Amino acid sequence: MRSTRTPTLWLRFAWALLIMVFFGSATLTQAQGSTGARPHQTAVGLAQFDGVLSQGDGSVTLVDMALPSPAVLSDVDRYGTLTSEQLFFAQPVTRLQLTYAAQSPSGSAVRVDVRGSLDGQRWQPWVVDLSSGDVIDFRQPIKYAQYRLTLTGNQFSAPVVREVRLELTSSAASVEATPADPYAVAPTFRVRATRQGMVGGRTANGYIIPPNARFVSLPSWSALSSRGGNEYQVRLTYRGRSTVVPVYDVGPYNTRDDYWATQRTGFPDLQWGWSMDHAAYYDGYNNGRAEKGYVRFPTAVDVGDGAWIQDLGIVGDQAEVEVTFLWMGQDPANGRPLRNPEASEHLVDELDGDFWSNTPLLSASAMRCGANLHAYWSRTTANPENATVVRWQPNVPIEAAYDLFVHVPVCPQRLPATTTAAYIVGHRDGVTEIVVNQRSQTGWVHLGQFPFAAGDQGYVQLGAVASDGGITWFDQVRWVPVR
């Protein structure tokens, strides 16, 4: 658990809060003017101020008595953020240039982040730590954009930022945003997690943590929601219980480890879904050290008390949980996902909505084992009535012949895998059973070629029925159309 911290200097805190309220409303017009809006732009909504103020010339700096810094930046005396109003573009754009002027005296710093959205509701991840002049390629049309300023300083110095502009450009891109895929299923990874606690502390987005808080901390600024917002949420699952909460903090061990991104910008040499602190702890990566120091225990997500204790029912301060990153695609808990009819193949993961089981309490593999770093297993039984049964059942968009592949993982387990895993294939012309020896047939196993009609009537089914006293593995299944 991250150490419980009670902020001191409550008088300073209250004074800073009053400054926030006053300047957050009184100087909004000046803040909007500093964005450099042109006739093709319209400011929508309100800017969000935390510990910063807009001065008479439209520049932004830290208030004298800024709020206590979040734990992730505990080494700074003063901290503040400004999330701009949403800029609306009448016509869709794909490329914007960011310009700004900043003065950062010794002991102070500024970070500028930008994000885009087509509808103002579903946002791409923040593109973080941008320089003035950077051209952002959003790779998909957007109609809304925002910037976020993060200012830090000490008691003697503070940065000043002015003339922040986001303008349409045709110049070559210097950075790329992460586009949204409407057919993607939000990825799920099994990771170590900790209870955050820290009641009364401040998160990176300015949220003051109350008792029984429901939020998470992730180790990257790219997925930080606004204070009170739900732009970036995760689904947490633990032993059949699940809850959805927003991302309100950054940390604990890193601030640039977007391990959930398919093309991660932080630590790109690590495997997708394997966080840097896990790599440091389990694999000795970077000599066991993360950005914030030696990794004493691995944690890829910190969880607020309300979600940890009340929603998930976790006892203790550490646990393994499944985390689904909901801004990246369709929530698999909402049932069968929308599939791309143009896709060259259809993959059904055991963590998405095309997979179901007759029991909600399937046992999970050790972390980092199985396709997509995850698999389920169940002990076999000779009695079919007591056996775990699962089914992979996609919505196939076109009628065709498909090569069918199942993935059999090789994972550490006390019991051996069954030698008689009976896969039942329900296809257009009937039902076929194929027996796979999961001890010797591992990796991608070809079940055969079968015709499937368009729709969701076809399936692959597997029950943990055997008399060998082993276990049955349930992992991914692929439908590959025959060309």
Side-chain angles (χ1 to χ4, degrees):
M1 180 185 72
R2 293 169 71 177
S3 59
T4 302
R5 183 185 65 170
T6 302
T8 59
L9 302 177
W10 284 103
L11 180 61
R12 174 183 170 189
F13 174 85
W15 176 244
L17 190 61
L18 288 173
I19 293 176
M20 282 169 50
V21 172
F22 175 78
F23 284 102
S25 57
T27 65
L28 179 60
T29 302
Q30 294 172 340
Q32 288 177 340
S34 69
T35 63
R38 294 293 184 261
H40 59 271
Q41 299 177 15
T42 304
V44 181
L46 299 178
Q48 189 174 88
F49 293 77
D50 279 304
V52 301
L53 60 88
S54 180
Q55 302 181 110
D57 60 357
S59 63
V60 174
T61 190
L62 289 166
V63 299
D64 289 337
M65 300 177 109
L67 292 172
S69 65
V72 69
L73 293 175
S74 58
D75 56 341
V76 302
D77 295 325
R78 290 195 286 166
Y79 170 86
T81 63
L82 184 155
T83 302
S84 77
E85 71 282 350
Q86 296 180 19
L87 294 179
F88 173 73
F89 296 83
Q91 299 296 325
V93 300
T94 58
R95 192 167 294 182
L96 295 174
Q97 183 167 37
L98 168 72
T99 58
Y100 61 90
Q103 295 175 317
S104 302
S106 177
S108 69
V110 174
R111 195 189 68 246
V112 185
D113 312 322
V114 172
R115 66 179 179 178
S117 170
L118 182 60
D119 58 6
Q121 302 296 318
R122 193 175 184 91
W123 290 87
Q124 294 182 6
W126 290 97
V127 183
V128 301
D129 201 12
L130 295 169
S131 300
S132 181
D134 273 340
V135 175
I136 306 109
D137 185 351
F138 292 94
R139 300 171 63 190
Q140 286 181 345
I142 65 166
K143 297 184 74 172
Y144 296 83
Q146 276 187 304
Y147 65 83
R148 179 176 64 192
L149 307 180
T150 302
L151 287 70
T152 59
N154 57 36
Q155 53 186 316
F156 304 109
S157 65
V160 178
V161 185
R162 55 173 55 87
E163 298 179 352
V164 183
R165 300 178 185 275
L166 282 170
E167 298 179 306
L168 186 66
T169 183
S170 59
S171 300
S174 55
V175 292
E176 288 187 343
T178 302
D181 180 355
Y183 296 108
V185 176
T188 300
F189 297 105
R190 187 173 182 84
V191 299
R192 295 287 299 179
T194 54
R195 181 176 72 86
Q196 180 153 343
M198 297 179 61
V199 173
R202 185 189 188 200
T203 68
N205 72 352
Y207 176 68
I208 305 302
I209 303 173
N212 301 316
R214 288 174 167 83
F215 73 98
V216 297
S217 173
L218 292 178
S220 172
W221 293 95
S222 64
L224 181 66
S225 296
S226 59
R227 187 184 70 251
N230 295 312
E231 306 98 293
Y232 309 103
Q233 294 180 299
V234 299
R235 178 177 294 280
L236 302 169
T237 304
Y238 177 78
R239 296 185 179 179
R241 298 172 71 165
S242 185
T243 187
V244 174
V245 292
V247 183
Y248 277 3
D249 206 0
V250 177
Y253 284 117
N254 291 291
T255 63
R256 57 185 184 91
D257 183 19
D258 53 345
Y259 63 88
W260 49 85
T262 52
Q263 293 183 330
R264 55 196 295 176
T265 57
F267 312 103
D269 55 323
L270 293 178
Q271 187 177 7
W272 179 41
W274 191 235
S275 68
M276 190 274 189
D277 72 280
H278 281 43
Y281 185 84
Y282 290 108
D283 305 329
Y285 182 84
N286 196 37
N287 296 318
R289 300 184 67 82
E291 179 185 339
K292 297 296 182 178
Y294 183 75
V295 179
R296 295 177 292 108
F297 51 84
T299 173
V301 57
D302 276 0
V303 183
D305 287 356
W308 185 270
I309 300 170
Q310 298 180 351
D311 297 349
L312 300 179
I314 302 176
V315 177
D317 294 334
Q318 300 180 40
E320 285 187 15
V321 301
E322 291 169 356
V323 186
T324 305
F325 301 88
L326 297 178
W327 66 90
M328 295 182 64
Q330 304 169 72
D331 186 351
N334 289 340
R336 183 158 294 140
L338 181 66
R339 295 295 184 183
N340 184 359
E342 303 300 324
S344 59
E345 65 177 58
H346 298 278
L347 185 147
V348 179
D349 190 271
E350 76 282 1
L351 291 171
D352 76 24
D354 286 337
F355 174 90
W356 60 263
S357 169
N358 64 347
T359 173
L361 298 177
L362 287 167
S363 298
S365 66
M367 288 187 303
R368 208 179 177 185
C369 192
N372 196 28
L373 307 181
H374 185 280
Y376 284 128
W377 64 270
S378 178
R379 188 162 184 170
T380 60
T381 175
N383 184 353
E385 294 183 0
N386 297 330
T388 297
V389 178
V390 308
R391 180 176 284 192
W392 299 262
Q393 191 168 4
N395 188 359
V396 177
I398 59 172
E399 181 169 344
Y402 290 82
D403 280 313
L404 201 59
F405 298 86
V406 296
H407 192 266
V408 180
V410 179
C411 297
Q413 258 298 332
R414 183 175 59 87
L415 296 173
T418 181
T419 60
T420 56
Y423 290 86
I424 308 298
V425 180
H427 49 84
R428 185 195 63 191
D429 297 341
V431 175
T432 303
E433 178 180 290
I434 302 98
V435 177
V436 172
N437 183 339
Q438 290 193 336
R439 293 187 199 175
S440 60
Q441 295 174 270
T442 56
W444 285 108
V445 179
H446 185 216
L447 296 187
Q449 190 177 109
F450 306 93
F452 286 87
D456 60 2
Q457 298 305 301
Y459 60 86
V460 173
Q461 183 170 301
L462 178 59
V465 181
S467 57
D468 54 16
I471 61 173
T472 300
W473 286 102
F474 312 111
D475 207 346
Q476 293 181 344
V477 177
R478 288 164 55 201
W479 276 256
V480 181
V482 178
R483 300 301 182 186

